[in-house]
Amino acid sequence: MTFSTPKPPRPALFHPPRPLLPSFFPPRHSFFATVHGLRTSTQEPDDSPPTENDFILSILRANPSLRDTRSYLASFGSRPKVKRIATLPTYGAHVLPSVNTPLHPYSQPQLSTSKLVSPEQPQTNALVASILNPVYRRTALVKVQGPFTDVQLDSICRGLVYLEKLGLVSVIVVESNGLHRGEEDERSTIIGEVMRIVTTLEKQGAHARPVIGPVVRLGPKPNEKDSSIEDFIVPEAHTTPSDLIPIRSALRAGEIPVIAPFAVDSFCRSVRIHPNDVIGALARGMVEVAQLDGQQRAQLSSDGVDLTPLRLMIINREGGVPSYARSGYPHLLVNLTSEYSYIQNTFRDDWRYTNPTALSNLSLAKMCLAYMPPTSSAIMVSHRSPSSLIGNLITNKPAVSSSLPHALLQGNRKLTPHTPTLLRRGLPIQVIRSAADIDRVRLTALLEQSFGRSLDESSFYTRLEKTLDFVIIAGDYAGAAIVTREPCSALDHPISYLDKFAVLPSHQGDGTVDFLWVALHDESYGLGHPFSANPNGGRGGIGEGRDLVWRSRANNPVNNWYYDRSSGHVRMGSWVMFWCDAEKRLKIEEGRRGSEGLSYIEGWEKGRLTAWSDVVSKIPSSWEC
């Protein structure tokens, strides 16, 4: 039997639960459930001083999953030897996989559920203790984009000190928006801001070091190839390994370097340049120095800190990048590879006043992430949300998942004008509508690695040739969503069926899952809305949305993820059938009825569960026995 914990009422766009039982289910059981709202959290008031327990509470609010915690400990914790398992675990078995075991997308190794407990239970102490005991230290490039009041700066610096306790050491570059280049006393003003941040950090218990001398050189790197071929803006500055000595010295001494945006020009003068060029040059230079050191292990033993930037953090007064899909509220997660140009083209004129640096910070993120490792991310956050930096460090996820139904995002109290924007390098997205255009070798490898099973290629592709609607491909077959059109005699139209949703294990946790589901939303049940006009190579939001149906094994750990993203689900023996209602149809019907709202069961819904389940239950398996 399906069950769920109580949650807040759903937004108006999704109709209330309907007590509809398919005829083939025993009447004494309740198998029907619908999508629930998300847990809400109280927003921190602006400029409010943190409490004594704010650090621990920030970790607990992040609500890290087992996978999130393992990913964090892989970067900061000890590295015990992993015992390899010779054979693949049976489906649903409660065993830890070996490092070579392919996993289903979003799946987590099945452990005792006692590890997933509420903060009130004693087991949480072990989780927090493991997070609070970093062995290795990593670096983050941080742009502090003021001006800020003393109270605001206290809150920001406290957040950065918390990150240092978790193993992430900030390399801070100072920016002052109100200070124009060439103004009188600009150098002394900038140095004053640097010293102000240093003093505030030390007041919070950290050790900080002002870096007043230039650490970058103006102009392109000598003997550099033509930068015009790059798909991002190249910084107008560069570094050499010797330029980074002040930063490495501070990190080696356990101090947070706070850098003024100065550079050495061709006449060996110290001149002020744009902080974005300083940060871009540092992102590139720090990665190159780490590579020059040879093995990062050698650097860790000499410096104690991995110089390769793990995060880019932009802390400002305006928050993230406004989204055309959320009435000006920030984007939650941005795929820079596929969405960068579209976000720039849809940026409204009035946002240039409310968020004047959003596009330049977007360009900064694209530039830095091009140099940083693929697992790195950037976050644009308001000074009002400093605790979100901790959540992002531990989970590397947005505050609210962008792949949730749009109605839930509209009604979610976590979504505010100050919700951070998480940015990933991402992958290109394409939509294929012909089975002949599918790279069967790559798709087969993706499915088999993702599910850990052998595909019955002959029958699978033969069925796709007859029923394929479209395939959404992320990158070079790093992920795929396969949708078919299944004939249904009980309805006057075929069923849109999500046949496969798969992501390579190596891309699970890097945002590909959410990017792929958002594209799936835009091509199926979200079609027809302006916010579905994303650049995913598909219909661009034009068309009529269709109900999307899929099934999953009842013991599949992915189901918890599906529950949050579906309109409803129904138990079918050893299977669970999920569906997402066409959002445009519901919106039109809701508008037509006005204040009356939607009916408990709409006329077009009667009998559809029985029809769907009859078709879905007969779809053959794609796997070899």
Side-chain angles (χ1 to χ4, degrees):
M1 176 178 294
T2 59
F3 63 93
S4 58
T5 56
K7 299 194 177 179
R10 74 188 63 252
L13 180 58
F14 281 93
H15 39 289
R18 302 172 172 80
L20 177 62
L21 294 178
S23 58
F24 50 85
F25 289 133
R28 65 181 181 275
H29 293 296
S30 174
F31 292 87
F32 183 79
T34 56
V35 68
H36 298 280
L38 297 177
R39 291 175 293 179
T40 58
S41 66
T42 303
Q43 292 294 325
E44 296 181 4
D46 184 24
D47 299 345
S48 60
T51 64
E52 291 297 325
N53 295 325
D54 187 59
F55 180 38
I56 301 298
L57 291 177
S58 297
I59 296 176
L60 297 177
R61 288 193 194 109
N63 193 25
S65 66
L66 290 175
R67 173 179 300 206
D68 297 333
T69 306
R70 289 194 186 97
S71 178
Y72 167 83
L73 293 177
S75 296
F76 297 92
S78 59
R79 292 166 170 78
K81 294 183 179 180
V82 179
K83 183 180 293 185
R84 296 176 179 266
I85 301 175
T87 59
L88 291 175
T90 58
Y91 187 79
H94 293 251
V95 295
L96 281 173
S98 70
V99 294
N100 293 325
T101 301
L103 298 175
H104 189 283
Y106 330 107
S107 67
Q108 298 176 3
Q110 295 296 291
L111 300 177
S112 171
T113 56
S114 63
K115 299 296 183 183
L116 300 173
V117 294
S118 64
E120 292 80 8
Q121 294 179 324
Q123 288 89 338
T124 302
N125 294 334
L127 175 61
V128 173
S130 65
I131 292 176
L132 290 177
N133 188 30
V135 174
Y136 299 106
R137 293 192 297 160
R138 312 293 294 274
T139 57
L141 281 169
V142 181
K143 180 167 85 163
V144 177
Q145 184 178 323
F148 295 111
T149 66
D150 290 341
V151 175
Q152 292 167 350
L153 195 58
D154 277 342
S155 178
I156 292 170
C157 290
R158 180 164 299 186
L160 298 180
V161 171
Y162 287 171
L163 293 177
E164 186 185 29
K165 292 180 180 180
L166 293 170
L168 189 69
V169 185
S170 299
V171 177
I172 301 173
V173 177
V174 178
E175 177 177 4
S176 183
N177 282 341
L179 185 64
H180 300 288
R181 267 189 259 181
E183 286 190 11
E184 186 178 0
D185 297 328
E186 67 170 334
R187 174 174 289 272
S188 61
T189 301
I190 291 174
I191 293 175
E193 281 299 301
V194 169
M195 298 307 301
R196 185 166 166 250
I197 293 176
V198 169
T199 301
T200 306
L201 285 168
E202 293 187 334
K203 186 175 69 174
Q204 301 292 345
H207 297 288
R209 179 186 298 187
V211 181
I212 306 303
V215 295
V216 301
R217 300 169 185 259
L218 194 61
K221 198 165 188 176
N223 303 321
E224 187 176 35
K225 64 179 181 180
D226 184 7
S227 61
S228 61
I229 63 175
E230 303 289 358
D231 64 347
F232 59 90
I233 299 176
V234 177
E236 296 181 1
H238 67 280
T239 66
T240 65
S242 60
D243 295 327
L244 299 181
I245 290 176
I247 295 177
R248 301 185 72 169
S249 174
L251 296 175
R252 187 182 298 113
E255 300 171 336
I256 298 175
V258 184
I259 303 168
F262 298 144
V264 174
D265 67 5
S266 58
F267 296 99
C268 296
R269 297 173 301 187
S270 176
V271 296
R272 180 189 175 195
I273 66 172
H274 199 288
N276 287 6
D277 290 321
V278 176
I279 296 173
L282 287 177
R284 180 179 184 180
M286 291 166 69
V287 170
E288 289 176 347
V289 166
Q291 293 173 346
L292 287 175
D293 285 342
Q295 297 294 328
Q296 289 188 359
R297 295 282 187 181
Q299 183 185 345
L300 289 173
S301 62
S302 60
D303 283 357
V305 180
D306 185 346
L307 205 60
T308 306
L310 188 69
R311 296 282 190 278
L312 168 66
M313 298 180 176
I314 303 168
I315 306 174
N316 56 26
R317 298 176 60 86
E318 60 196 63
V321 182
S323 170
Y324 51 87
R326 312 197 200 290
S327 303
Y329 277 16
H331 283 272
L332 299 173
L333 179 64
V334 174
N335 181 345
L336 288 169
T337 299
S338 66
E339 299 178 57
Y340 177 75
S341 297
Y342 192 76
I343 291 174
Q344 288 186 315
N345 296 336
T346 56
F347 199 82
R348 297 195 328 226
D349 289 338
D350 56 309
W351 293 341
R352 300 183 187 277
Y353 299 96
T354 59
N355 299 74
T357 63
L359 292 183
S360 63
N361 284 331
L362 184 72
S363 298
L364 172 64
K366 185 174 177 63
M367 173 173 58
C368 291
L369 291 177
Y371 297 124
M372 294 160 64
T375 54
S376 298
S377 64
I379 185 170
M380 294 170 57
V381 59
S382 163
H383 66 87
R384 299 171 188 247
S385 307
S387 63
S388 61
L389 295 175
I390 294 177
N392 169 253
L393 171 62
I394 299 173
T395 67
N396 206 12
K397 295 176 182 177
V400 183
S401 175
S402 60
S403 61
L404 288 169
H406 191 74
L408 290 186
L409 293 177
Q410 287 178 316
N412 194 327
R413 289 193 294 172
K414 282 187 176 181
L415 188 58
T416 74
H418 301 283
T419 301
T421 295
L422 183 68
L423 306 105
R424 307 296 294 258
R425 185 189 302 180
L427 296 168
I429 304 292
Q430 63 172 318
V431 179
I432 297 175
R433 303 193 182 278
S434 171
D437 296 331
I438 297 175
D439 188 325
R440 299 191 178 189
V441 174
R442 284 188 170 89
L443 182 60
T444 299
L446 164 63
L447 296 177
E448 292 186 343
Q449 289 184 55
S450 178
F451 288 88
R453 307 179 69 180
S454 297
L455 186 70
D456 186 350
E457 296 184 48
S458 177
S459 61
F460 176 71
Y461 289 110
T462 298
R463 199 174 80 81
L464 283 190
E465 291 172 357
K466 299 176 182 178
T467 63
L468 179 66
D469 188 359
F470 61 85
V471 182
I472 302 175
I473 302 295
D476 189 12
Y477 286 81
I482 303 174
V483 176
T484 60
R485 298 179 69 84
E486 303 295 334
C488 180
S489 58
L491 302 174
D492 59 357
H493 56 80
I495 298 172
S496 289
Y497 176 70
L498 178 58
D499 189 277
K500 293 288 183 294
F501 189 84
V503 174
L504 286 176
S506 59
H507 284 270
Q508 293 170 18
D510 68 356
T512 302
V513 168
D514 278 333
F515 296 144
L516 192 59
W517 192 272
V518 168
L520 173 65
H521 164 275
D522 296 347
E523 288 300 304
S524 56
Y525 64 97
L527 197 63
H529 278 305
F531 52 74
S532 295
N534 292 306
N536 54 31
R539 293 191 170 94
I542 300 175
E544 295 296 325
R546 296 158 291 162
D547 300 330
L548 182 69
V549 184
W550 70 98
R551 70 182 182 184
S552 175
R553 291 284 183 185
N555 61 350
N556 191 344
V558 181
N559 290 345
N560 288 332
W561 196 86
Y562 286 151
Y563 291 145
D564 286 337
R565 284 151 185 80
S566 62
S567 300
H569 64 275
V570 63
R571 184 69 177 263
M572 298 167 37
S574 60
W575 294 93
V576 179
M577 183 178 72
F578 297 89
W579 71 91
C580 288
D581 292 313
E583 292 181 343
K584 183 179 179 180
R585 181 178 63 238
L586 289 180
K587 194 67 175 178
I588 293 174
E589 187 65 21
E590 182 186 41
R592 185 177 67 84
R593 293 177 180 271
S595 59
E596 297 178 2
L598 292 169
S599 300
Y600 206 52
I601 300 178
E602 295 294 323
W604 45 266
E605 290 184 289
K606 293 180 179 178
R608 67 172 185 166
L609 292 186
T610 302
W612 286 349
S613 57
D614 182 59
V615 172
V616 168
S617 63
K618 295 177 181 177
I619 293 177
S621 172
S622 306
W623 311 108
E624 294 180 352
C625 298

